[in-house]
Amino acid sequence: MRNLFTKPLVGMTLVLISGLSSAWAADEADLYGEHLLPRETRLMFSIPSVADLVEAGGESSLGEMLADPAFQPIIDQIKEKLAEASDKMKAESGLSLEDLGKLMQGEVTFAIVEKPARKLHAILMVEYGDHQDTVDGLLEKLNGALTAGGAEQKTETISEVEVQVFEFPKTDELPYNKVAYFAEEGYFVISSDLAPIKAVIERWEGGSAETLAKDEVFAYIMEKCSTEDAEPAVKWFIDPIALVKGGIGMVQAQNPQAGMVLGFLPVLGLDALKGIGGGFDLGAGNFDSVQKTFIYAEQPPTAVLGVFQFPAIAQQPPKWVGADATMYMGVNWNVAEAYLAVESIVDSFLGPGATAKTLEDFSAAEDGPMVHPKTDLLDNIEGRM
């Protein structure tokens, strides 16, 4: 599916960030995002270059609108509020919003990885470039805050990289009791455990076949969501079933009944869902923005996945959509197959014919609408909307 927006709301945010930032671009040869994450990554959201995204936002039609003199009174009020927040932030952390904007000009990637097995951990990677002095000051404050909160600090060396590890006393209320991070070669990487940090460092020099980028499902989704000459300015990926399994694995020891959920996945056909991902671009061809979403599932789709069948058609608006339209969305949905999928799921739980009988009773009820949902409505929908 693809949505085309001619005036993205995200442009306002990008323009405001642009006013707080200075240009700094990462070396295109550097490894980033999916090349540093292990195959066991269950969720990823990545901006390969914040600076490029901000620049594209400023050049969009919404960016031009926000730069219009008539809009400046509103912009001035927003900047005034941001300045107040920046002053408060600097008083507490020594870092202003402008400083933060300078730091976040390269890559920003957030992920959830299953390292070790049956244990989900968050990891954040921020490329800060040549602002090492600013980062050192922030890390000093971070270390002080963690130790003041009761954490025990120690240093681990992994492939000549010093990793700071803070461990809190274990409690039943919190599933995590560690914070680990390192700052190396213009990158700050922080996680809720040491294992994900180790996985990133092991892939730092490149050449590993065990990365998210080399995963067949992820690579296929990103190929479908990229343009001919460039990757998306923003990209995301989620392996929903593996994420659910990992979460259940974490709580199953305390709640064995949680494992029953896994038995329903094949019944609902959800075990065939291998991944969902997408990309977002600003200033793409004739469009202000292009957003692509791709669902990767084994064929043929069954049960729940059978509901979501969208046969390919020419992606062009119908004749009644005029050239002055600011937004157009279309979908071609196989309604007949969607009904059969719902019917099979309901009947698998309630018995054969349960769905048909329920619809018949609904349409025959004296106080009802006297309309049969399938024969009077669904059977008359061709699918294109």
Side-chain angles (χ1 to χ4, degrees):
M1 294 181 290
R2 179 169 70 173
N3 297 331
L4 304 178
F5 301 88
T6 57
K7 291 186 178 179
L9 181 60
V10 74
M12 179 178 292
T13 303
L14 296 175
V15 171
L16 293 176
I17 294 176
S18 170
L20 301 172
S21 307
S22 61
W24 184 86
D27 184 355
E28 293 181 355
D30 290 343
L31 295 176
Y32 55 84
E34 61 267 29
H35 301 281
L36 297 175
L37 294 169
R39 282 183 183 267
E40 295 85 355
T41 299
R42 306 311 182 200
L43 179 149
M44 185 200 78
F45 177 86
S46 181
I47 304 175
S49 174
V50 174
D52 290 346
L53 184 63
V54 169
E55 181 180 357
E59 295 175 355
S60 67
S61 64
L62 186 56
E64 294 175 359
M65 181 188 73
L66 294 175
D68 191 293
F71 210 82
Q72 290 314 297
I74 298 177
I75 296 296
D76 291 340
Q77 292 180 28
I78 295 175
K79 286 183 176 180
E80 183 179 345
K81 294 298 182 181
L82 288 174
E84 294 176 3
S86 180
D87 291 341
K88 182 178 179 181
M89 178 178 173
K90 188 166 185 175
E92 295 176 353
S93 66
L95 184 74
S96 66
L97 286 177
E98 184 176 1
D99 295 332
L100 183 62
K102 290 178 180 178
L103 288 179
M104 301 180 67
Q105 287 292 294
E107 176 201 351
V108 176
T109 296
F110 172 80
I112 294 178
V113 300
E114 190 175 346
K115 281 281 189 179
R118 301 169 67 86
K119 187 76 171 180
L120 299 175
H121 287 286
I123 185 167
L124 174 68
M125 299 187 289
V126 179
E127 189 177 14
Y128 58 83
D130 55 0
H131 300 282
Q132 189 64 50
D133 292 341
T134 303
V135 171
D136 288 342
L138 281 175
L139 295 182
E140 184 177 350
K141 291 181 178 294
L142 175 62
N143 295 348
L146 291 172
T147 53
E152 179 183 347
Q153 181 180 4
K154 63 179 181 179
T155 301
E156 297 271 354
T157 301
I158 304 174
S159 300
E160 301 182 358
V161 176
E162 284 194 358
V163 180
Q164 303 301 320
V165 183
F166 295 82
E167 185 170 355
F168 293 88
K170 290 185 177 181
T171 63
D172 295 335
E173 291 79 14
L174 297 176
Y176 303 101
N177 70 315
K178 288 183 182 178
V179 174
Y181 75 80
F182 71 88
E184 188 81 10
E185 298 181 9
Y187 262 84
F188 172 68
V189 182
I190 186 169
S191 177
S192 54
D193 198 63
L194 186 60
I197 294 287
K198 185 175 184 293
V200 169
I201 294 176
E202 289 173 347
R203 291 156 178 78
W204 199 260
E205 299 299 329
S208 174
E210 297 302 313
T211 65
L212 178 61
K214 298 293 181 65
D215 181 79
E216 179 183 353
V217 174
F218 175 86
Y220 191 84
I221 290 175
M222 286 300 111
E223 178 186 349
K224 293 298 182 181
C225 294
S226 300
T227 58
E228 294 181 358
D229 57 349
E231 63 177 2
V234 178
K235 47 191 173 182
W236 61 276
F237 169 79
I238 181 172
D239 183 344
I241 304 306
L243 191 63
V244 169
K245 289 181 177 179
I248 290 175
M250 291 177 63
V251 302
Q252 200 165 5
Q254 291 78 25
N255 185 7
Q257 293 182 344
M260 297 176 58
V261 175
L262 300 179
F264 286 100
L265 296 180
V267 176
L268 297 175
L270 293 176
D271 57 333
L273 180 59
K274 301 304 180 183
I276 306 172
F280 175 79
D281 282 293
L282 287 168
N286 296 325
F287 301 99
D288 266 10
S289 70
V290 174
Q291 178 179 323
K292 300 179 181 180
T293 299
F294 192 90
I295 301 174
Y296 189 114
E298 293 179 346
Q299 298 298 309
T302 59
V304 172
L305 295 185
V307 176
F308 306 100
Q309 296 191 53
F310 306 96
I313 57 173
Q315 293 186 341
Q316 60 187 26
K319 294 180 180 180
W320 55 265
V321 178
D324 57 347
T326 59
M327 181 176 177
Y328 159 75
M329 297 180 66
V331 62
N332 187 38
W333 187 18
N334 192 330
V335 178
E337 289 295 329
Y339 171 79
L340 291 176
V342 172
E343 184 180 55
S344 68
I345 296 171
V346 175
D347 288 1
S348 67
F349 287 98
L350 301 181
T355 305
K357 185 177 185 308
T358 300
L359 296 183
E360 287 291 346
D361 293 344
F362 174 80
S363 62
E366 294 183 359
D367 57 346
M370 305 300 289
V371 173
H372 195 286
K374 182 177 185 299
T375 57
D376 293 334
L377 295 178
L378 298 180
D379 287 351
N380 294 294
I381 300 177
E382 295 183 359
R384 184 165 182 171
M385 305 177 190

